[in-house]
Amino acid sequence: MAVVGVVGGGRMGGGIAQGLLGTGAQVHVVEAGDEAAQAAHDRIVAGLEEADRRGKLEGTVADAAARLTMVDTPGDLPADCELVVEAVPEIPALKVEVLRAVEAVLAPDAVLATNTSSLSVTELAAALDRPARFVGMHFFNPVPASTLVEIVVAAETADDVVATAQEWVDRLGKTGIVVRDSPGFASSRLGVLLGLEAIRMLEEGVADAEAIDTAMELGYRHPMGPLRSTDLVGLDVRLAVAEYLTSTLGDRFTPPQLLRDKVAAGDLGRKTGRGFHDYS
């Protein structure tokens, strides 16, 4: 039985853990604090139950849940983890701290991955002792329903690490695309640009949010309009990514004032009940 780890039990980390449990792996999830750990555990089990109701879970919920272990710190991860995916917030210093702590307990041939939607995988790798064993695995929200994973190859990532990441994506029943490490990769760079333009159109009164989203859903067959997508990702997350892309790729990614205002007001999308649409 494969032994794997996930650092962070939030929406993304929990979804990744759920998917890994579905492959039959023993999954260790790092989440500090009893209350947070219990919430993460319950979230993952609820996801397994939903997958079971939809006929998407092999085996039983009880069997999968029995292979889930919550631990307090990266240092508590078992040394025989063959893959650990870091899924903490998009704060470079935090990611570096977590990645270094995980690397310290892993075997030299283990694979360490970061789930980031925009940060430089090469820059994160530079803080590690074994950058060749490090790769980006960009999952999409919600993880259980999404079918894409971007495998982001840093300057020193070894070929066999890329192959191992692809094997895990295959086991998860998802499609992996391999992209060279660059700001925003492929998906965030295009998706954020579309989302920012949609926000500018709303800001300028071109149309309301419903009309803008419907235009892309029906006119271009997007499964979700750019404003609904921003609500799903989180307006705060999209703002942070846009600011990073502005600093690396230029002014075309400058966040509209409307996005800044909504984040300041706490309207962050689905997770708060209100963003560009109302979910209350």
Side-chain angles (χ1 to χ4, degrees), residues 164-175:
T164 297
Q166 182 65 68
E167 289 170 5
W168 275 104
V169 172
D170 293 343
R171 289 189 213 179
L172 289 164
K174 301 184 185 299
T175 297

Side-chain angles (χ1 to χ4, degrees), residues 68-214:
L68 172 63
T69 303
M70 306 301 297
V71 298
D72 288 332
T73 71
D76 296 321
L77 288 168
D80 61 345
C81 279
E82 58 187 76
L83 169 72
V84 174
V85 181
E86 166 272 308
V88 301
E90 296 279 84
I91 303 170
L94 174 61
K95 284 188 178 288
V96 166
E97 178 184 355
V98 167
L99 290 168
R100 287 181 62 85
V102 174
E103 185 186 48
V105 302
L106 293 184
D109 61 345
V111 173
L112 178 56
T114 179
N115 175 56
T116 177
S117 59
S118 65
L119 297 179
S120 170
V121 177
T122 299
E123 290 181 9
L124 293 174
L128 301 176
D129 293 329
R130 298 190 294 273
R133 309 306 301 170
F134 183 61
V135 68
M137 293 181 71
H138 176 203
F139 290 83
F140 291 78
N141 186 28
V143 176
S146 69
T147 56
L148 176 67
V149 178
E150 277 187 303
I151 300 171
V152 186
V153 181
E156 296 187 53
T157 305
D159 290 344
D160 70 299
V161 170
V162 178
T164 297
Q166 182 65 68
E167 289 170 5
W168 275 104
V169 172
D170 293 343
R171 289 189 213 179
L172 289 164
K174 301 184 185 299
T175 297
I177 60 169
V178 177
V179 300
R180 180 177 60 84
D181 183 32
S182 60
F185 317 137
S187 61
S188 292
R189 186 165 173 173
L190 289 170
V192 169
L193 195 61
L194 177 61
L196 294 176
E197 188 59 27
I199 298 168
R200 290 189 190 96
M201 290 170 63
L202 182 62
E203 190 174 55
E204 294 167 7
V206 174
D208 64 18
E210 187 65 34
I212 292 169
D213 279 339
T214 300

Side-chain angles (χ1 to χ4, degrees), residues 17-71:
Q18 177 188 328
L20 291 169
L21 287 166
T23 71
Q26 178 76 41
V27 181
H28 296 259
V29 176
V30 179
E31 187 63 66
D34 292 343
E35 187 174 338
Q38 187 63 54
H41 179 279
D42 293 347
R43 186 182 303 114
I44 294 165
V45 172
L48 292 169
E49 291 171 344
E50 178 62 22
D52 185 52
R53 283 193 292 270
R54 294 175 177 271
K56 301 292 186 181
L57 181 68
E58 292 189 17
T60 67
V61 172
D63 174 67
R67 288 184 274 104
L68 172 63
T69 303
M70 306 301 297
V71 298

